[in-house]
């Protein structure tokens, strides 16, 4: 198993924590120097939040880091990150994002790349299946989420 | 007094709430149909947070809105919004951002404009003075904040 597979599997475990809480199955982990320093999952439904996406939750749970430490981090996320989460990556100069799947939802990957963030897409079938199965079984929940954002998960760079 | 001046003054009041709490003096209000629907202020220091900027706090405090309602909103903020906060504006399709001051800190305004967000800069002297005075009187606090983000408050679009 590669490092990327190992860490994305931890992000998937976080996505499953959210699922067990009644939330959207999206998870993330922040890795520094090859060690997980924080985990996060989508909390929109659980916390009635509009900002606690998995990536935001992971970045928040890491607490404040120095610029030098952020520069050593890689963010692993099960789903392509939206403009807000991508903006947080850009703000804190996190140099690399590893994405489990972007076939079910495309985020602001071009914005990340335009800001010199390395973007790796794993095309991980478990990430894809977990999210697709959820939206298929819970179309009303997913439509309610989509109804907030219109068509803006991508963003123009 | 114009509407913009009225609402930016409310954002300044929020910035002063943060100041009284020992936090950074940055405030925001979200306005829909010419009425304030939420207020927010920077909570980085108070909450040991890295995501609760004033704009994020205001958007979170508004709670989930429909796409149609977000499209009726204007976000007022005392200071030019960073890439994360700008990303939240893009995600939720908020069509207009009114900025008190961008001379003390330039945010991701070009990213907003590239995503069809109307950006108005008021060059409000009270916003400018409030923030400048804080950073002049508290250089160690402000340097500690800047040490997290390096030079990325702006962002490439």
């Amino acid at each position: 198993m590669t490092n990327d597979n190992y860490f994305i599997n931890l992000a998937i475990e976080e996505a499953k924590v959210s699922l067990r809480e009644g939330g959207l199955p999206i998870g993330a982990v922040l890795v520094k120097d090859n060690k997980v320093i924080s985990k996060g999952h989508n909390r929109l439904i659980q916390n009635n939040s509009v900002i606690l996406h998995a990536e935001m939750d992971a970045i928040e749970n890491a607490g404040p880091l120095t610029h030098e430490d952020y520069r050593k981090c890689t963010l692993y996320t099960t789903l392509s990150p939206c403009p807000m989460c991508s903006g947080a990556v850009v703000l804190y100069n996190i140099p690399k994002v590893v994405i489990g799947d972007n076939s079910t939802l495309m985020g602001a990957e071009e914005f990340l790349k335009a800001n010199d963030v390395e973007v790796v897409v794993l095309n991980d079938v478990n990430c894809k299946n977990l999210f697709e199965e959820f939206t298929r079984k819970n179309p009303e929940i997913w439509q309610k989420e989509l109804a907030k954002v219109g068509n803006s998960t991508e963003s123009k760079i």
Side-chain angles (χ1 to χ4, degrees), chain A residues 62-82:
Chain A
L65 305 181
T66 62
H67 176 65
E68 290 68 30
D69 279 344
Y70 280 121
R71 291 296 295 166
K72 296 174 187 166
C73 286
T74 297
L75 180 66
Y76 287 79
T77 175
T78 58
L79 188 64
S80 188
C82 82

Side-chain angles (χ1 to χ4, degrees), chain A residues 130-148:
Chain A
L130 184 65
F131 194 70
E132 273 193 347
E133 188 180 353
F134 177 83
T135 56
R136 194 174 61 244
K137 285 186 178 171
N138 304 277
E140 71 295 343
I141 294 176
W142 184 232
Q143 285 307 313
K144 196 175 163 193
E145 290 305 317
L146 284 182
K148 294 182 209 158

Side-chain angles (χ1 to χ4, degrees), chain A residues 55 73-77 79-81 85-86 89-90 94-100 109 112 117-121:
Chain A
E55 302 91 328
C73 286
T74 297
L75 180 66
Y76 287 79
T77 175
L79 188 64
S80 188
C85 298
S86 298
V89 167
V90 170
I94 296 171
K96 185 175 177 182
V97 176
V98 178
I99 297 166
E109 295 180 17
L112 287 172
V117 178
E118 182 184 351
V119 176
V120 176
V121 181

